[in-house]
Amino acid sequence: MTINIDKKQFQQDLIGWFLAEKRDLPWRRTADPYQIWISEIMLQQTRVDTVIPYYKRFVEKFPTLHDLAKADEQVLLKEWEGLGYYSRARNLQAGVKEVAENYGGIVPDNRKEFSSLKGVGPYTAGAVLSIAYGIPEHAVDGNVMRVLSRILLIEEDIAKPKTRKIFEEAVTEIISHDDPSSFNQGLMELGALICTPTSPKCLLCPVREHCTAFHEGKQQDLPIKTKAKKNKAVQYAMVAVKSVDSVLMEQRPSAGLLANMWQFPMLELAKEVLPFEIEEELSESFSGRVDGVEKITSFKHVFSHLTWNVDGYIAKGENLKIPAHMKWVTAAELDLLPIAGPVQKMKTALQLRGDV
DNA sequence: AACTCGGGGTA
DNA sequence: TACCCAGAGTT
């Protein structure tokens, strides 16, 4: 594509603004490629304000690459609990382990090697390489596509995968080779603070004079993005089966939604059911006796692509034959298991009743 | 290319 | 509600 801006002047205006106005974020206080890597993984599809406390706890718990490489996965997932997209945590550890074993513990400083690691895609590779190593690599995220779609008046649909390549080529063309880190971060900072999705603050924009959309009054119409399809709903029963001093928990499969996270045993339901039907279903699946089933709560949990409608039950179980992915835990042990949002809602309901 | 994968802030 | 967020992996 043809780029009709004054590159040098644009770089100077953008970087000058960034250096003067950048937010004081915890990952901007380190030069450690490992810690910058962590921040970029956490920031995927996740807001800065959400990440900050997780990042601080995480680097305190796993200060070096080797600390994370040797960490227990349950402990790792517990640190990630509530942040979402849990495969990020497991992929990050897989990548870190590979660096420890195959790269002498040194994070690779080139795109080919670094982006071969688990969880490191085109954006994260460019972000870490430019920020940690000062290498002029593109780092195109949602902010960058929005900002550049306006500045360069790019009207391709940013929801389409191949559109990202257009922006990568554009960044490669205009990136500063003197300060690639500030250039890439400047584009993202601009997207976060000034060139926002709705109501961009053009009158405060340091690169307004370079912006084609602003000159043509089209900043509100960009970027072009087609709509995502909406999600589906699924009905579940979530059952806290209690014995004398423990409750039954099950671990989810190692792949798919909430992989390896724990939950109270769940039954997918075709329709609304009565408590005695829950009782029959559970007694049969455990070849034992489950009784006293009582509904204690009901809630909805919305994921990005599906919705869980959950009825929460409590029950008593004796002499159950439980499968390998389940175990009985005490209240103290329960607090150590990584659980996702819907399970946390159930746990809270149980705690309010004094049941766990 | 389309789908999967969380959770929360915001208009 | 619907959209968006410092995206990547799988199919």
Side-chain angles (χ1 to χ4, degrees), chain A residues 32-37 65 95-96 99-100 103-110 113-114 117 120 128-129 132-133:
Chain A
D32 183 353
Y34 158 70
Q35 296 195 355
I36 293 170
W37 182 6
L65 187 144
V96 160
V99 171
Y103 295 93
I106 307 299
V107 176
D109 64 355
N110 60 85
E113 289 180 335
F114 188 46
L117 303 174
V120 179
V128 174
L129 291 172
Y133 290 122

Side-chain angles (χ1 to χ4, degrees), chain A residues 71-117:
Chain A
D72 175 72
E73 188 188 280
Q74 291 291 292
V75 175
L76 169 63
L77 287 174
K78 193 66 184 175
E79 287 300 310
W80 210 271
E81 181 182 286
L83 196 54
Y85 286 142
Y86 299 95
S87 64
R88 290 184 296 178
R90 300 190 304 132
N91 288 339
L92 171 60
Q93 188 183 34
V96 160
K97 283 181 173 175
E98 189 172 347
V99 171
E101 292 167 10
N102 300 335
Y103 295 93
I106 307 299
V107 176
D109 64 355
N110 60 85
R111 183 178 288 271
K112 179 177 173 56
E113 289 180 335
F114 188 46
S115 61
S116 76
L117 303 174

Side-chain angles (χ1 to χ4, degrees), chain A residues 263-314:
Chain A
Q263 63 189 17
F264 301 98
M266 291 175 59
L267 300 172
E268 184 175 349
L269 304 177
K271 56 179 179 57
E272 297 282 344
V273 297
L274 296 172
F276 82 87
E277 297 179 88
I278 303 285
E279 211 161 283
E280 290 180 353
E281 186 80 24
L282 289 176
S283 295
E284 183 171 350
S285 63
F286 293 134
S287 307
R289 191 165 82 218
V290 174
D291 57 17
V293 173
E294 176 191 354
K295 186 190 287 192
I296 63 164
T297 185
S298 190
F299 57 86
K300 177 167 74 170
H301 188 88
V302 180
F303 296 95
S304 45
H305 63 297
L306 78 162
T307 298
W308 283 7
N309 290 308
V310 181
D311 289 327
Y313 297 87
I314 188 167

Side-chain angles (χ1 to χ4, degrees), chain A residues 163-188:
Chain A
T163 302
R164 197 191 69 241
K165 292 186 174 61
I166 297 174
F167 290 92
E168 289 174 348
E169 290 171 10
V171 172
T172 300
E173 179 73 20
I174 65 176
I175 191 171
S176 164
H177 286 240
D178 296 325
D179 192 349
S181 170
S182 295
F183 184 90
N184 279 341
Q185 291 188 79
L187 283 180
M188 294 187 277

Side-chain angles (χ1 to χ4, degrees), chain A residues 19 38 41 64 76 114 134 175 196 214 216-217 229 243 247 271 296:
Chain A
L19 294 176
I38 292 170
I41 299 299
T64 73
L76 169 63
F114 188 46
I175 191 171
T196 46
F214 176 72
E216 300 188 9
K229 61 166 199 167
S243 72
V247 63
K271 56 179 179 57
I296 63 164

